[in-house]
C-alpha cells in the first residue's frame, strides 16, 4: 500500500537578505599610551566583542526531507545561524489550509504511517502531541476487483488466535489449542518472519488459492540475496524490471495480476514491468520478511498531515525567541544556483536567485554557506535546468534526467454514510482505471470525530452529513486528459459501486479533483545509479550542497526505512544537514540523532550470511 501516497509538489526558491561578510578572526590589538617622563608602558587591550557573521543555510523544498534538514540545522547548537526554507507552495508550514473552491479542506493524497516509523513517532513525542490524537488505530485494508473482494490486509499486531486460525480447515482447531496453551492469551503470537505473515493472512485472501500464494517462495530468496548483497548486487537487480524477476522465479500469473500488481501500483505507483526489481524487493521485505507487524499502517486522525505534524514542527522551529529561528519563504521558485571556485580548489555554491511569485521580482541570496536540495524529480529538473554550474556536474544532471509519475487526487462528498469493510481500500484490475492504480479512503471513518471539519463546517454541526471519500489514482497518465467531471463519474458510476454496492444508492453532493503531473519519484529499471547521492557531487568537488528526499542514495548512512516513504525522506533530511554542517561549520555542533528501525530478525540475518557464502561460488544467473 502507499507508504506515502504523495509527497506533493514542492519546487523551490529562496530568500534574499543582506548578511555580513565571511567570518574573520578578531585579533587582539596593542594600544600605545602616552609616555611620561618617568615611565612608558604598553597596555594590552582587547577589542570589543564583535558578533560573528551569520552562518547562512538554505533548504530548498518543503517536504519531509526539507523539514528534516531544517530541524537538524536549527537545533544544531551553532551560534548565530540563519536557516531559510524556500518552497513553491504558498505556505509550506501547514498553517494555511488548502481549500477546494467550495471551501472544504483538501489534501493531495492520503498518506499512511507504518509501524516502523521511529523518527516520525519521536517527533510526535518531542512536540508534546498525544499519539492517539494524531493517528488513527492501525487499520485493515481491502482489495477489490470486478469480481468483488479479493483480499484484506490484516492488522498483524492486533490479530487474535481465533480470527487467524478459526477458518483454517482440518488443523485449525488443533493449532488454536496449541497456541492458547503455550501463550495463555487470545492474541495471535509474534512468529518469526515470514511464518507469522503466512499464518496471519490465511483467512484474508478471499479468492487467491494457496498454490498461487506459495509461488512467492522463490521471490523471498531473491529478496534476501538482493538486500543482503553489496552495491554491485543491488545494481544488478536494479537493471531488471520486477516483471522479469517474477517470470524467472515463476510466480503465478494470478498472484501477480490479482495481488502483487495492484499493490505495486498504489505502493510504488507503477506496474511491475516499469519498476526496478531492487525497489520492489525493498517493499516485499516489509511485507514478508521484516517483522510480522511491520506492514501495519495507520492514518491521520484529524485534519491533514500538514496541519497535524508539519504545522506544530514549523511553529517550534520558527519561534522568535529562538536564536536560530527558521525563516520560511513560500511561493518562490529557484532560478539559478551559482557555484564558484574557493581557495581550497573546490567548488562552492554561494549564490541563489529565485522568483518571488507574489511580487513577480527576481531576488538573490548571496554569501550562502550551504544548501540542502530537498526536491523530488520535478523540482530537481527545474533547478538543474536553470543552473548551468550544477548541470555540469554529472550527479545533478543524471538526477535531473529521471522522470516522475502522474497523480490525481479526488474528494467526494455524499448525502449519506456508506458502510465499508475497511476504511482504506484498493481498486484492482478494473478496466476503468486505464492502467492506473487506485485507492479510496473513507475519511468519515478515519476521522469520525472531525466529520464537520471534513465538510468545511464548524465542529458540532455533523447532523445530516454523509461520507467523505478520498480517492487517488497513481500512474494516472491515461486519466489526466479527462475532464474533472468525467473522472468523478468514473468513480461514482463504475468503481465505487462495483467495490461496495451501497455506493449506488448514495448521491454525490460535492467533489474536488487535483491533477499533479510528474510529481512522484519513478523507480524505473536502471534508475538506481541515476538517483542523487545524499552527498551531491561529493566533498572533494562541491562540499556545501547536499540532497535529501525519499529517492536519494544515502550510501553508508542508509536507513532501514525504504522506498517511497515519509520516514526515509525525514531521515534523509537529518543526514543531509548533519553532513553539510560537518564540512561547513566553524565550531562544534550537535548532529541530529537518527533512530534506527528495529533490527532484522535472526533468521533473516542468517539467511543473508548463508546466501553470501553460496553466492561466492554460485553464479547469479537470474540477474544481468
Amino acid at each position: 500500500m502507499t507508504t506515502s501516497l504523495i509527497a506533493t509538489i514542492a519546487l523551490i526558491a529562496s530568500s534574499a537578505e543582506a548578511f555580513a561578510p565571511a567570518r574573520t578572526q578578531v585579533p587582539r590589538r596593542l594600544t600605545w599610551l602616552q609616555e611620561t617622563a618617568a615611565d612608558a608602558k604598553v597596555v594590552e587591550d582587547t577589542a570589543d566583542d564583535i558578533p560573528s557573521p551569520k552562518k547562512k543555510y538554505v533548504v530548498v523544498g518543503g517536504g519531509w526531507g526539507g523539514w528534516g534538514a531544517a530541524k537538524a540545522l536549527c537545533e544544531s547548537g551553532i551560534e548565530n545561524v540563519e536557516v531559510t526554507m524556500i518552497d513553491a507552495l504558498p505556505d509550506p508550514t501547514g498553517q494555511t489550509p488548502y481549500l477546494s473552491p467550495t471551501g472544504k479542506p483538501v489534501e493531495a493524497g492520503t498518506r499512511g504511517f507504518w509501524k516502523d516509523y521511529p523518527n516520525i513517532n519521536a517527533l510526535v513525542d518531542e512536540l508534546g502531541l498525544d499519539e492517539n490524537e494524531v493517528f488513527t488505530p492501525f487499520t485493515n485494508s481491502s482489495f477489490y476487483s470486478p469480481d468483488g473482494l479479493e483480499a484484506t490486509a490484516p492488522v498483524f499486531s492486533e490479530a487474535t488466535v481465533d480470527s487467524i486460525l478459526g477458518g483454517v480447515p482440518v488443523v485449525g482447531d488443533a493449532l488454536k489449542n496449541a497456541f492458547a496453551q503455550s501463550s495463555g492469551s487470545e492474541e495471535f503470537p509474534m512468529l518469526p518472519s515470514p511464518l507469522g505473515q503466512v499464518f496471519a493472512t490465511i483467512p484474508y485472501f478471499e479468492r487467491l488459492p494457496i498454490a498461487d500464494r506459495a509461488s512467492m517462495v522463490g521471490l523471498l530468496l531473491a529478496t534476501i540475496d538482493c538486500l543482503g548483497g553489496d552495491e554491485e548486487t543491488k545494481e544488478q537487480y536494479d537493471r531488471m524490471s520486477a516483471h522479469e524477476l517474477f517470470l524467472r522465479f515463476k510466480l503465478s500469473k494470478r498472484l501477480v495480476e490479482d495481488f502483487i500488481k495492484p499493490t505495486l501500483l498504489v505502493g510504488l505507483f507503477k506496474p511491475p514491468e516499469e519498476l526496478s526489481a531492487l525497489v520492489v524487493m525493498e517493499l516485499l521485505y516489509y511485507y514478508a520478511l521484516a517483522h510480522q507487524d511491520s506492514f501495519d499502517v495507520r492514518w491521520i486522525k484529524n485534519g491533514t498531515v500538514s496541519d497535524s505534524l508539519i504545522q506544530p514542527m514549523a511553529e517550534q522551529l520558527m519561534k522568535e525567541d529562538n536564536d536560530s529561528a527558521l525563516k520560511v519563504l513560500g511561493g518562490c521558485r529557484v532560478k539559478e544556483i551559482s557555484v564558484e571556485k574557493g581557495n581550497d580548489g573546490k567548488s562552492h555554491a554561494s549564490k541563489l536567485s529565485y522568483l518571488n511569485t507574489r511580487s513577480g521580482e527576481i531576488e538573490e541570496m548571496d554569501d550562502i554557506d550551504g544548501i540542502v536540495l530537498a526536491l523530488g524529480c520535478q523540482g530537481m529538473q527545474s533547478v538543474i535546468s536553470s543552473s548551468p554550474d550544477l548541470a555540469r556536474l554529472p550527479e545533478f544532471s543524471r538526477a535531473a534526467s529521471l522522470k516522475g509519475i502522474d497523480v490525481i487526487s479526488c474528494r467526494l462528498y455524499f448525502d449519506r454514510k456508506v458502510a465499508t469493510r475497511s476504511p482504506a481500500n484498493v481498486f484492482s484490475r478494473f478496466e476503468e482505471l486505464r492502467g492506473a492504480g487506485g485507492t479510496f479512503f473513507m475519511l468519515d471513518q478515519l476521522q469520525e470525530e472531525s466529520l464537520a471539519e471534513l465538510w468545511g463546517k464548524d465542529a458540532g454541526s455533523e447532523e445530516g452529513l454523509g461520507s467523505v471519500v478520498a480517492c487517488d489514482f497513481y500512474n494516472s497518465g491515461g486519466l489526466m486528459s479527462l475532464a474533472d467531471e468525467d473522472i468523478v463519474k468514473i468513480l461514482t458510476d463504475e468503481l465505487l459501486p462495483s467495490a461496495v454496492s451501497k455506493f449506488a444508492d448514495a448521491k454525490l453532493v460535492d467533489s474536488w479533483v487535483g491533477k499533479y503531473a510528474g510529481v512522484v519519484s519513478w523507480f524505473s529499471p536502471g534508475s538506481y545509479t541515476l538517483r542523487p547521492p545524499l552527498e551531491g557531487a561529493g566533498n572533494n568537488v562541491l562540499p556545501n550542497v547536499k540532497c535529501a528526499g525519499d529517492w536519494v542514495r544515502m550510501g553508508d548512512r542508509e536507513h532501514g526505512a525504504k522506498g517511497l516513504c515519509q520516514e526515509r525522506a525525514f531521515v534523509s533530511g537529518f543526514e543531509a544537514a548533519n553532513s553539510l554542517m560537518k564540512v561547513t561549520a566553524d565550531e562544534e555542533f550537535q548532529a541530529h540523532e537518527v533512530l534506527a528501525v528495529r533490527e532484522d530478525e535472526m533468521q533473516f540475518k542468517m539467511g543473508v550470511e548463508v546466501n553470501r557464502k553460496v553466492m561466492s561460488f554460485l553464479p547469479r544467473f537470474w540477474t544481468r
Side-chain angles (χ1 to χ4, degrees), residues 61-123:
W64 276 108
W67 282 105
K71 185 174 186 294
L73 291 166
C74 290
E75 297 175 356
S76 64
I78 297 177
E79 294 184 1
N80 209 14
V81 63
E82 181 166 309
V83 183
T84 302
M85 173 185 284
I86 52 182
D87 192 86
L89 291 177
D91 181 12
T93 69
Q95 185 174 4
T96 305
Y98 184 35
L99 302 177
S100 71
T102 56
K104 298 178 178 65
V106 293
E107 186 176 27
T110 307
R111 287 169 272 180
F113 294 80
W114 267 253
K115 186 88 169 182
D116 288 314
Y117 271 20
N119 292 278
I120 290 180
N121 292 339
L123 172 68

Side-chain angles (χ1 to χ4, degrees), residues 303-361:
T304 65
V305 173
S306 292
D307 59 40
S308 296
L309 292 173
I310 301 301
Q311 181 181 351
M313 176 168 50
E315 290 175 350
Q316 177 173 291
L317 298 179
M318 295 170 67
K319 286 182 179 178
E320 293 183 0
D321 58 352
N322 185 350
D323 292 337
S324 55
L326 174 67
K327 182 177 182 179
V328 178
L329 299 176
C332 298
R333 298 178 183 273
V334 165
K335 299 299 292 182
E336 182 177 2
I337 295 175
S338 302
V339 173
E340 60 185 13
K341 283 284 186 182
N343 296 329
D344 56 2
K346 302 176 183 179
S347 297
H348 297 268
S350 58
K351 185 170 68 173
L352 184 151
S353 64
Y354 63 93
L355 170 66
N356 186 326
T357 59
R358 291 185 177 89
S359 65
E361 299 292 327

Side-chain angles (χ1 to χ4, degrees), residues 450-509:
S450 304
L451 182 59
E453 288 87 340
L454 287 171
W455 281 82
K457 299 181 180 296
D458 295 332
S461 54
E462 292 85 0
E463 186 176 351
L465 301 180
S467 287
V468 179
V469 186
C471 303
D472 301 304
F473 298 102
Y474 314 99
N475 189 39
S476 59
L479 298 168
M480 292 289 281
S481 60
L482 294 179
D484 292 355
E485 55 266 29
D486 290 330
I487 294 172
V488 171
K489 190 174 180 63
I490 287 173
L491 284 165
T492 57
D493 292 1
E494 304 292 342
L495 294 174
L496 289 172
S498 296
V500 180
S501 60
K502 293 179 182 178
F503 273 110
D505 300 323
K507 180 181 178 181
L508 186 70
V509 175

Side-chain angles (χ1 to χ4, degrees), residues 250-263:
K250 301 187 183 305
L251 273 69
S252 80
K253 182 178 180 180
R254 186 166 181 181
L255 172 67
V256 173
E257 292 296 322
D258 289 7
F259 182 68
I260 294 181
K261 184 176 179 178
T263 300

Side-chain angles (χ1 to χ4, degrees), residues 373 380 384 390-391 393-401 536-537 542 545 547:
L373 295 176
M380 186 68 78
I384 303 306
L390 292 183
L393 300 172
E395 291 82 2
F396 294 108
S397 61
R398 284 196 293 259
S401 72
L542 183 63
V545 176
C547 298

Side-chain angles (χ1 to χ4, degrees), residues 161-162 165 171-189 191 199:
V161 172
D162 187 64
L165 300 175
V171 298
D173 289 339
L175 289 172
K176 280 171 57 179
N177 293 333
F179 279 129
Q181 290 176 6
S182 63
S183 66
S185 170
E186 287 298 312
E187 294 181 0
F188 189 75
L191 300 177
F199 270 112

